Amino acid sequence: MIVECGDRSRFISYDDIYIQETNMYAYTYATSFDGEGAITSAIDYVVSQDFPQLYLLQGHGESELPETFAQQVEKENIVTTEFSLLTIDAVPEEADCVMIYAPSSDISQEEKDMLADYIANGGKLFVVAGAIEEGTLTNLFSLLTEYGITPSEGVVVEGDSNYYAFQMPYVLLPDILSSEITDPLIEEGYYVLMPVALGLNLRDSGGNGTVTELLSTSALAFSKIDGYNLTTYEKEEGDLDGPFTLAVSIESNSGGQIVWFSSSYFLDDMYNAYSSGANVDMAVNALASLIGDSETMAIRSKSLNYNYLSISEFAASILKTTMIGIFPCAYLAVGIYVVVRRRRKQHETI
């Protein structure tokens, strides 16, 4: 297909409509239909004059954007540019949004001040960052403190089996709270996964802005202060009590906005696949809310194979008990009853 308007055109190939991806974990191929998304993206491209500019901060060991998320950003006609605050005096004016993705080291105080000034002047900041293996992200997380948000030490572990998946209490299955960003997921009944997350504590914002909680743990969650070096999922002395917030949306009184996800693995392709694409959808919705483009809300491709079923560990245990224990025992009991009843009838006849 070719979509054309004026001097602009875009070719949509068969591979753009029927997307085939390799699942390296199951050694299979997954095919999905993305005709609606591809055509909508092409129309938006040929009729638009200006495209949103997403600036990706570099210089702190940031990870590359995961393939699935990067493809979705490209499909939404968002132009990405890498930049470093170490070589400039301020965030470029043409940046519609600045994204910080999974840094492995902290930003400097000077960089923090530049980002704070950017937000104070109406800038938009999108952060996917949580616990790191060595050290802390003190300066980066200090961007949240003036809004009454403080990070906890360590990694969040769930104590309620309804709130984690795959028998791993650090792969969190949080509550999704209502907001512009999350409502499309809630309406469709999707869940997101937050692996190796850092807990956020919300207090009074001090009148500096409005904080909206997007994801939260159960009241039984706690933070293991040992972080990546934890040796047990049981609560120990010194571990911090929950509940915790795992994602927030902030509207500053100055007009600036921040969306923050406290897990550096939130957009990882593997966890996104396990959530049936809900993680990337939520991130794209968050990005849309920042750049002010409601039309950017993600159009899901339709799987022609299957989607993963995301359920809590508690629900998985109930299913296992029912399918492996209760059903076989029930059938066995019925069988014994039928045999005994028939033998009694035969004996009475004799």
Side-chain angles (χ1 to χ4, degrees):
M1 299 180 63
I2 297 176
V3 179
E4 182 179 3
C5 180
D7 296 332
R8 287 190 175 182
S9 64
R10 173 173 285 183
F11 171 67
I12 303 175
S13 70
Y14 179 88
D15 292 334
D16 294 326
I17 297 175
Y18 291 95
I19 301 174
Q20 191 173 68
E21 298 176 330
T22 304
N23 186 333
M24 298 301 296
Y25 303 97
Y27 300 101
T28 59
Y29 291 94
T31 304
S32 58
F33 175 77
D34 196 29
E36 181 182 2
I39 294 172
T40 301
S41 174
I43 293 173
D44 180 59
Y45 172 77
V46 298
V47 302
S48 299
Q49 298 300 319
D50 298 312
F51 301 107
Q53 303 290 317
L54 177 64
Y55 274 57
L56 306 176
L57 186 65
Q58 300 293 307
H60 316 91
E62 289 85 356
S63 301
E64 291 186 8
L65 293 182
E67 183 178 359
T68 303
F69 178 71
Q71 289 175 349
Q72 187 67 39
V73 168
E74 182 180 2
K75 190 173 77 171
E76 302 302 339
N77 297 314
I78 299 173
V79 180
T80 59
T81 303
E82 295 183 354
F83 81 112
S84 172
L85 289 172
L86 299 174
T87 58
I88 55 180
D89 297 328
V91 176
E93 294 182 0
E94 57 270 21
D96 292 303
C97 179
V98 171
M99 181 173 183
I100 304 175
Y101 180 68
S104 57
S105 62
D106 199 10
I107 62 176
S108 66
Q109 181 62 43
E110 291 74 15
E111 291 173 295
K112 180 263 178 181
D113 293 338
M114 282 190 276
L115 289 172
D117 290 340
Y118 170 68
I119 297 167
N121 291 320
K124 319 295 182 181
L125 181 64
F126 184 31
V127 182
V128 179
I132 57 177
E133 293 192 38
E134 296 182 5
T136 59
L137 303 176
T138 303
N139 290 329
L140 180 60
F141 275 94
S142 66
L143 291 169
L144 297 175
T145 56
E146 65 177 289
Y147 304 101
I149 304 172
T150 56
S152 296
E153 293 182 64
V155 172
V156 176
V157 171
E158 262 294 350
D160 187 337
S161 58
N162 282 304
Y163 286 81
Y164 65 86
F166 313 127
Q167 300 182 348
M168 294 181 285
Y170 62 87
V171 180
L172 309 179
L173 201 65
D175 279 330
I176 304 178
L177 307 179
S178 179
S179 70
E180 175 190 15
I181 295 171
T182 57
D183 282 345
L185 299 176
I186 296 174
E187 291 172 4
E188 296 296 328
Y190 283 96
Y191 293 90
V192 299
L193 295 173
M194 292 288 285
V196 197
L198 187 75
L200 302 177
N201 298 295
L202 272 59
R203 305 191 310 274
D204 189 341
S205 65
N208 294 322
T210 302
V211 177
T212 301
E213 192 176 10
L214 302 179
L215 301 173
S216 68
T217 68
S218 76
L220 297 179
F222 53 92
S223 185
K224 300 288 295 182
I225 60 174
D226 290 337
Y228 281 83
N229 297 318
L230 64 87
T231 57
T232 176
Y233 297 137
E234 299 297 325
K235 187 177 180 182
E236 300 174 298
E237 183 178 356
D239 291 341
L240 307 175
D241 292 328
F244 299 103
T245 298
L246 303 177
V248 293
S249 174
I250 303 171
E251 291 189 18
S252 172
N253 291 337
S254 64
Q257 289 180 271
I258 303 173
V259 174
W260 199 300
F261 293 93
S262 65
S263 168
S264 296
Y265 299 93
F266 173 61
L267 294 178
D268 186 88
D269 285 334
M270 180 179 69
Y271 291 109
N272 179 63
Y274 287 153
S275 71
S276 297
N279 283 17
V280 165
D281 281 357
M282 185 172 178
V284 173
N285 291 348
L287 196 54
S289 72
L290 292 172
I291 64 177
D293 186 1
S294 61
E295 298 301 321
T296 306
M297 293 297 181
I299 299 176
R300 298 179 62 88
S301 59
K302 282 70 177 177
S303 175
L304 302 181
N305 297 96
Y306 59 85
N307 284 328
Y308 288 99
L309 176 63
S310 298
I311 59 176
S312 67
E313 183 58 28
F314 177 78
S317 298
I318 293 296
L319 288 174
K320 289 177 184 177
T321 302
T322 302
M323 302 303 293
I324 299 175
I326 296 177
F327 280 177
C329 290
Y331 281 115
L332 180 61
V334 170
I336 293 174
Y337 171 75
V338 171
V339 171
V340 171
R341 187 164 175 265
R342 286 179 178 176
R343 287 185 176 180
R344 283 181 178 178
K345 284 186 176 181
Q346 289 175 356
H347 181 72
E348 290 173 358
T349 302
I350 295 172

